[in-house]
Amino acid sequence: MKQRLGGLLGGAAALSLLAGLVVPSPAAAVMVKGYEIDDPKSPTVVVNKHRPLNPVTHVPQPLTRIKTEQLRADAAQAYQQMVKDAKAQRVNIVAVSGYRSYDHQASLYDSYVQQYGQETADTIAARPGHSEHQTGLAMDVGNASGACALQDCFEGTPVGAWVAEHAWKYGFIIRYPQGEQGTTSYKYEPWHLRYVGTDLAKKIKAGAVAGSTSDIDTLEEFFELGRAPDYLY
């Protein structure tokens, strides 16, 4: 199907058509463990390769600007408090990439396809309509020095170590943990923070603690959604 609809999924138009074939009509909200995971307006919405946003062109409102980036207002408030508290401990968190529109994500994804091929692109960037950044609830963070930007070694930098230990207190989780690519389908991203609210973040953090019998550190595992290793189309 992908080849008939444009080779390397040539741009947002082909992706919109593909997404339109699989996205269901709006339905009544379904609560899972007391959380709304389908509504794109929910802070606990689950977005992955099996679960596109509905509608795929969803635009979060309202958005708050954080220097050159944006987050949804609730996530932005939590993020700004986190940055303030980290700075008081001499850790300077820098916003690298926040909200991305459907079209922005389409352009980014297509550029990766052209550079690396579709198979590799699908491990490092989401297709439009499937990106957490499109919810306005995700922020990639970095160090002011630029050390280990968007690399695994980020975890050992001042900001990487600080957010791993403290981000949950502000409602953020590391969405793509180490060793979970088979579940999330994305490589380890210690810089990718996802706002889910303090209640859920606390539960995810508790499940991710070393030695925990639950060993739950992804939204897929917490909500028992199964793995989402690849797209359904």
Side-chain angles (χ1 to χ4, degrees):
M1 180 188 295
K2 284 184 261 189
Q3 291 181 342
R4 293 199 301 271
L5 289 171
L8 293 176
L9 298 181
L15 286 165
S16 295
L17 177 57
L18 284 167
L21 295 174
V22 297
V23 177
S25 300
V30 176
M31 303 293 284
V32 179
K33 296 187 177 182
Y35 299 95
E36 166 53 57
I37 65 171
D38 294 325
D39 188 341
K41 297 185 292 296
S42 169
T44 55
V45 63
V46 180
V47 185
N48 59 31
K49 291 181 178 180
H50 287 185
R51 298 175 57 83
L53 289 166
N54 188 13
V56 292
T57 54
H58 170 71
V59 178
Q61 295 292 342
L63 288 165
T64 297
R65 182 161 295 280
I66 301 171
K67 295 189 177 180
T68 61
E69 302 303 320
Q70 295 182 92
L71 282 178
R72 213 174 75 174
D74 49 352
Q77 183 176 9
Y79 177 83
Q80 289 169 322
Q81 185 62 54
M82 179 174 69
V83 170
K84 180 180 178 181
D85 291 349
K87 189 173 184 179
Q89 298 178 36
R90 300 184 179 181
V91 175
N92 295 314
I93 301 174
V94 174
V96 174
S97 183
Y99 166 68
R100 300 180 198 145
S101 68
Y102 179 94
D103 288 341
H104 183 177
Q105 190 68 29
S107 177
L108 179 66
Y109 175 78
D110 284 349
S111 72
Y112 282 134
V113 169
Q114 295 301 321
Q115 290 180 68
Y116 308 115
Q118 187 178 333
E119 183 176 352
T120 297
D122 279 338
T123 69
I124 57 178
R127 298 177 187 176
H130 293 261
S131 173
E132 287 208 323
H133 285 281
Q134 193 179 327
T135 68
L137 298 168
M139 177 69 84
D140 292 340
V141 297
N143 294 274
S145 66
C148 291
L150 307 182
Q151 300 176 58
D152 288 2
C153 59
F154 176 75
E155 68 176 7
T157 67
V159 172
W162 196 93
V163 297
E165 182 176 356
H166 300 288
W168 66 273
K169 301 173 186 176
Y170 304 87
F172 290 91
I173 62 171
I174 294 176
R175 178 66 176 95
Y176 306 121
Q178 192 167 35
E180 294 289 2
Q181 185 173 350
T183 298
T184 67
S185 81
Y186 292 105
K187 295 180 179 179
Y188 178 40
E189 294 190 0
W191 59 84
H192 181 101
L193 302 183
R194 162 64 197 275
Y195 182 75
V196 296
T198 54
D199 181 66
L200 181 53
K202 181 178 180 180
K203 293 175 182 177
I204 296 289
K205 178 64 175 178
V209 171
S212 169
T213 56
S214 57
D215 190 28
I216 294 172
D217 55 1
T218 69
L219 295 179
E220 288 81 5
E221 291 169 318
F222 182 84
F223 290 116
E224 301 177 359
L225 297 173
R227 297 183 173 191
D230 204 353
Y231 294 98
L232 298 175
Y233 53 85

